[in-house]
Amino acid sequence: MDILQALLNGFGVALEPLNLLLVVLGCLVGTLIGVLPGIGPISGVALLVPLTFALKMPPESALILLAGIYYGAMYGGSTTSILLNIPGETSSVVTAIDGNKLAKQGKAGPALAMAAWGSFIAGTLSVVGLMTLGPLLAQWAIRFGPAEYFALMVFGFSTLSALAGKNLFKALIATGFGLMLATVGQDPQSGISRYTFGFLQLEDGMDFLVVAIGLFAVSEVLMLLEEKTPGAVRAQVGRIYLSFKDFMGSLFTILRSSVLGFLIGVLPGAGASIASFVAYTTEKRLLGDRARFGEGDLRGVAAPESANNAAAGGAMIPLLTLGLPGSGTTAIMLGALMSLGVTPGPQMFQQHPDVVWGLIASMYVGNAVLLLLNLPLVGLFVRLLAVPAWFLIPAVLAISFIGVYAVNNNPFDLLLMAVFGLVGYLMRKLEFPLAPVLLGLVLGYLMEINLRRAMTISNGDVGYLFSSPIAVGLWVLAGLSLLAPVLVARFRKQGLGGDEEL
Amino acid sequence: MTDRIVGILILLLALGYGLEASRMQVGFLSDPLGPRPFPYIIAILVGLSALWLIFKPDPDPTWPAPRFWPVLGLVLLSLVAYAYLVVPLGFILTTTLEMTLLSVLFGARWWQGLGGALAFTLAVYFLFTEGLGVTLPVGRIFG
């Protein structure tokens, strides 16, 4: 099918009243989540999935809503970075360096406008990239058999482990822990119960939402309780404007960072956070003496904000074409889609064109909505920070209870959530990355089933896993990716100088 | 040091996990691979990584002040109690109590916390049950 024709059909889906409403809602909720420190996009998306089930939304509507929250949070995260030096999300940590300096110099307005325009341009470019690269990759991946899929997942896990945390082995343990959780419940092929320890509630396995909300939302509440975050904060927002000269001066930074961010987003494991700091350091080196990075340069805001939005679009490519999510947030989207009866993968472009193209078209709409929403309403969003923590954080927990309970209407899940809340808290303290657990849990089933299918085809010959050039290529890439932490560490050192913690 | 202890605990987890796999009874209706090898692979991956952690630990994390531990214990205990009480006592009562407790821990006066908690719980209860069709426990004691 012609891409333009498909896109046109996609707009037909995206512009249906319900879906249009969901795009706006997703962008709004995403921006709120981005602005509020303490609630990350993963918790936000996880908390809204039960809603999509409860409302019996069709899969395309659910995905449109969840994706809106995801890239909306990228927009919102910059606001508090710039105004208060409190990054709303990890992907906006770098934005705070120059953004907050600008705000202190009285240039908060231009900085916020730059973040919004950079995000808009990057977001739109990344959708164009998704639209052109996605179908190509899907056509290539459609020939994948079980052996290639298994190798692909090994590759996904190794890049994720290599990039997710500071310590590769802690990331590998986190991945393994997620895979362990995935094996709980009835074995899909032989039907025997594994690791249920007599709990009937575990026969169907652990629900990814219960684990996600416990691991991310509940542990976030515990962390905030320990830090005793100061209550309400107030910030002044001036007029949001951007001079044409400033815009043109940053245009090439935006374009370069968009491409860079998009490519990094496509890699599993390298999400928006890595994209934002790689873009910042690259621009810093490229511009050299022509820019004053670190002292309040608009390009220091444009680079990370463009990159993180482009990465959010790029991350949709492996999710939609290979069924391989690269981050915690996209893992939840995968889980939600599978619960709704749609398994992302190369066939999806043919079997569910409504879902894929509806999503792509909705992302064009969403980026425009975010720009319209953000330029005039930033002041309003910031006023939300005046809501005291003692109300906001318990309220998030109350919503978590509803989300978890609604999954199976079973209070056992609330118990499980509490356990994972403690596990998540300890993992954060000990610097184990959390996202690999979620990915292991969501992908573990597919990984095992593909391994076993491959072994059934080859009648137990392990060599079959290495028998095709694609599979061998993926195994090599998986091995190489484990070297990535060394490179990332060098990048961190060179780009930012000193031992600045990121 | 902390990482060494954690490494040992994870190693034990991996061993227990692998051992449990070896005790699985496999019927004759299985595929060539069966349900055991995948857990074995995971156990080896986690076990080897744990060994590395024992030999090359990271510096110790900054643990919270000692007076935070009872607070953490209280919150976890209240979450467990919540799971057991939500069906008998109903969503509104248990959630209000849980939210009030947390509000107070976050520095609110008890009456502020109670007011905010009750208002928010009632609002979301009716939003989700009436508006969105989610079933939440009414409470057995209310018949």
Side-chain angles (χ1 to χ4, degrees), chain A residues 42-43 46 177-178 181-182 184 202 205-219 332 404 407 413-414 416-424 427 434-442:
Chain A
I42 302 184
S43 310
F177 180 55
L181 297 178
V184 173
L202 290 177
M206 289 197 192
D207 197 281
F208 72 99
L209 279 175
V210 177
V211 177
I213 293 175
L215 218 49
F216 286 90
V218 176
S219 78
I332 294 179
V404 166
V407 173
D413 287 339
L414 288 165
L416 219 52
M417 175 194 82
V419 173
F420 280 105
L422 177 63
V423 172
M427 286 180 71
L434 294 175
V437 181
L438 211 52
L439 252 82
L441 174 59
V442 174

Side-chain angles (χ1 to χ4, degrees), chain A residues 251-299:
Chain A
L251 187 61
F252 286 105
T253 297
I254 294 177
L255 295 178
R256 277 191 299 263
S257 304
S258 302
V259 174
L260 198 60
F262 178 76
L263 294 176
I264 292 173
V266 175
L267 274 180
S273 316
I274 293 178
S276 63
F277 94 79
V278 172
Y280 184 86
T281 49
T282 307
E283 283 301 307
K284 188 179 175 182
R285 268 196 279 180
L286 211 60
L287 292 169
D289 293 339
R290 280 171 293 157
R292 294 175 300 114
F293 273 37
E295 299 162 41
D297 193 306
L298 275 174
R299 282 165 291 195

Side-chain angles (χ1 to χ4, degrees), chain A residues 3 18 20 43 93 125 222 264 395 455 460 501:
Chain A
I3 286 184
L18 169 71
L20 205 55
S43 310
V93 171
L125 283 177
L222 296 175
I264 292 173
M455 289 299 107
E501 201 58 45

